[in-house]
């Protein structure tokens, strides 16, 4: 029996601004992710701080939360077998200089901060992140 898993994806302000949204969504579909929820948002600084609360003591927290609240983003709930690990592989390394050819970040990211996309890094994180942006009734069965 197939065990489906869900993960949260964000197209960040830099990628949205560069017009990468359509290409990134196509890449997700070509890689057999099912989009079970999607919305375009322009979050506030406080909402970005809540989402990235785990990084509150990191030196890049201020800059990251300014960036994430600087323009529109697209948040998606993705479903697939092993969705969390598969999506992280498809995104590529956090630092685009280290991202492999064929990954989303290799193609669209411009720096370690402006790195085009976000993906949950584990099961607990994905549960928190999905519930941060989506109510249960907003996700497809
Ligand atoms: P993301 O996968 O969304 O998780 C945390 C984010 O913090 C990361 O992508 C980057 O946008 C940002 N980030 C991580 N490390 C650094 C860093 N060393 N300097 C600046 N931003 C970083």
């Amino acid at each position: 029996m197939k065990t489906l898993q869900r993960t949260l994806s964000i197209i960040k302000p830099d990628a949205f601004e560069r017009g990468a949204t359509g290409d990134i969504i196509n890449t997700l579909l070509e890689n057999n992710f099912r989009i079970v929820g999607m919305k375009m948002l322009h979050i506030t600084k406080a909402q970005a701080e809540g989402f990235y609360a785990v990084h509150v003591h990191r030196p890049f927290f201020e800059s990251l939360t300014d960036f994430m609240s600087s323009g529109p983003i697209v948040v998606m709930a993705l479903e697939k077998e092993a969705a969390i690990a598969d999506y992280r592989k498809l995104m590529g390394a956090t630092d685009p200089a280290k991202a492999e050819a064929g990954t989303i970040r290799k193609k669209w990211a411009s720096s370690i901060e402006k790195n085009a996309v976000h993906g949950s890094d584990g099961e607990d994180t994905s549960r928190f992140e999905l519930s941060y942006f989506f109510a249960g009734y907003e996700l497809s069965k």
Side-chain angles (χ1 to χ4, degrees), residues 36 62 108:
V36 294
E62 268 303 306
W108 290 109

Side-chain angles (χ1 to χ4, degrees), residues 12 52 55 60 64 94 105 112-113 115 117-119:
K12 296 188 179 186
Y52 280 117
H55 294 307
F60 55 79
L64 173 63
T94 304
R105 283 173 171 155
I112 195 165
E113 178 177 273
N115 62 357
V117 283
H118 168 84

Side-chain angles (χ1 to χ4, degrees), residues 29-91:
L29 297 175
E30 280 165 12
N31 284 274
N32 303 312
F33 287 91
R34 189 164 81 97
I35 299 170
V36 294
M38 175 159 61
K39 54 177 92 166
M40 181 178 146
L41 302 167
H42 187 156
I43 60 173
T44 63
K45 168 100 170 155
Q47 288 167 340
E49 287 169 352
F51 180 76
Y52 280 117
V54 67
H55 294 307
V56 68
H57 298 301
R58 301 284 195 98
F60 55 79
F61 183 71
E62 268 303 306
S63 171
L64 173 63
T65 52
D66 280 342
F67 163 56
M68 289 302 291
S69 56
S70 68
I73 61 173
V74 176
V75 295
M76 284 175 277
L78 304 178
E79 186 179 81
K80 190 183 179 181
E81 271 184 84
I84 296 171
D86 269 26
Y87 180 52
R88 289 184 71 75
K89 189 153 183 253
L90 186 61
M91 284 194 299

Side-chain angles (χ1 to χ4, degrees), residues 93-100 105-106 111-112:
T94 304
D95 180 355
K98 296 178 186 152
E100 285 181 35
R105 283 173 171 155
K106 183 73 180 179
S111 71
I112 195 165

